[in-house]
Amino acid sequence: MRVDILTLFPDMLVSPLEHSILKRAREAGLLDVRAVDIRDFTTDRHRQADDHAYGGGPGMVMKPEPIFAAVEALAAEAPPPDRVVLFTPRGRRFDQEVASELARDHRIVLICGRYEGVDERVHRYLATDHLSIGDYVLTGGELAALVVVDAVARLLPGVLGKEESALSESFSEPLLEYPQYTRPPDFRGCCVPDILLSGNHGAVEQWRRGQSLQETLRLRPDLFARHRLTLQDQKLLGLVPPRKKRRK
Ligand code: 6GU
C-alpha cells in the first residue's frame, strides 16, 4: 500500500516510521509511506503556505493552491489514489472499522491540516474523506496521520507475523484484550493466575475469554453493548445458570 502524507512538517513523520513493525513493513515493500512537503508546491519567493483568515480572527489558514497542486501532482502518478483524506477535528471519528476500510485501498493521500484551519475549498473540493482521531484538539494532523498509518499497516496482509496476527483476530470483535503475564510467576507478591501455569489450553482459552468479557463490561460498557454474546459468553459471565443434573 502506498501512502503519501502532505504536511508542512515532514520531519515530524520520520521517526515513528523507522521502528519495529512499520519499519519491517516498509523494508518488505508492503508499505510505501512518503512525506510530502506542502511548501515544495508553493510558487512564491517566501514559500508561503498559509495566510490570514478572511473576515479576521486569530491564527493562519492553510492556503488552497499548494495543497491542490501537491495532490494533483501525486494523482498524476499511477495508480491513482483511492481517496484523499483530510485530517480535521470536524471529520468522521477514526476507529477499527475505518482502519479496515482504508486497509483495502492500494493508495491513499493524507493531508495534515494545522489546527487553526485549512481553506474550506480543500475540505469541499479536494478531500474525499475527513477524519478525526478523537474529541480533543491537536496542534495539527501529523500525529493523527501516524495513528492512522499504524492502525492500517498492521491490517495489511503479511505485515504481522503469524503469532501477531492471531492476536489481531480478537480485535475484529469489539472486546478488550485479556490480561497477559510473563515470567516471573511471583513479582513482589503479585502472582500469575494459577490457570495460566496449568498447561490446560482449553481452560486457559475459557479464562481469557471470560476476562475479555468482564474487562470490557467493566471498562468499556459502550463497546460491550455492541458485542453479541454467544451462549458460551453468557455462561462465562454467569448469566446462564449451569444446567441442572437430570434426576434419574
Ligand atoms: Cl485529525 N486534527 C486536529 N487538529 N485535532 C484533532 C484531530 C485532527 N483529531 C482529533 N483531534
Side-chain angles (χ1 to χ4, degrees), residues 152-230:
V152 170
R154 62 182 289 290
L155 297 177
L156 300 176
V159 167
L160 296 186
K162 262 207 198 90
E163 292 199 357
E164 295 161 324
S165 56
L167 206 70
S168 76
E169 310 287 5
S170 62
F171 279 97
S172 56
E173 280 188 299
L175 290 179
L176 300 182
E177 201 46 72
Y178 49 78
Q180 298 268 30
Y181 294 87
T182 185
R183 289 186 289 181
D186 179 343
F187 175 66
R188 300 183 181 177
C190 303
C191 291
V192 176
D194 286 333
I195 195 150
L196 297 178
L197 310 175
S198 70
N200 181 340
H201 293 298
V204 167
E205 281 310 304
Q206 286 214 353
W207 180 84
R208 286 179 165 169
R209 181 81 189 170
Q211 290 288 310
S212 275
L213 291 162
Q214 281 172 31
E215 288 297 276
T216 307
L217 180 57
R218 187 169 73 86
L219 299 169
R220 291 293 307 276
D222 58 315
L223 279 188
F224 189 80
R226 282 163 43 194
H227 175 68
R228 280 180 72 95
L229 292 173
T230 63

Side-chain angles (χ1 to χ4, degrees), residues 42-57:
T42 55
T43 51
D44 63 306
R45 208 157 50 87
H46 298 106
R47 292 167 45 91
Q48 192 184 350
D50 56 8
D51 206 339
H52 299 279
Y54 273 120

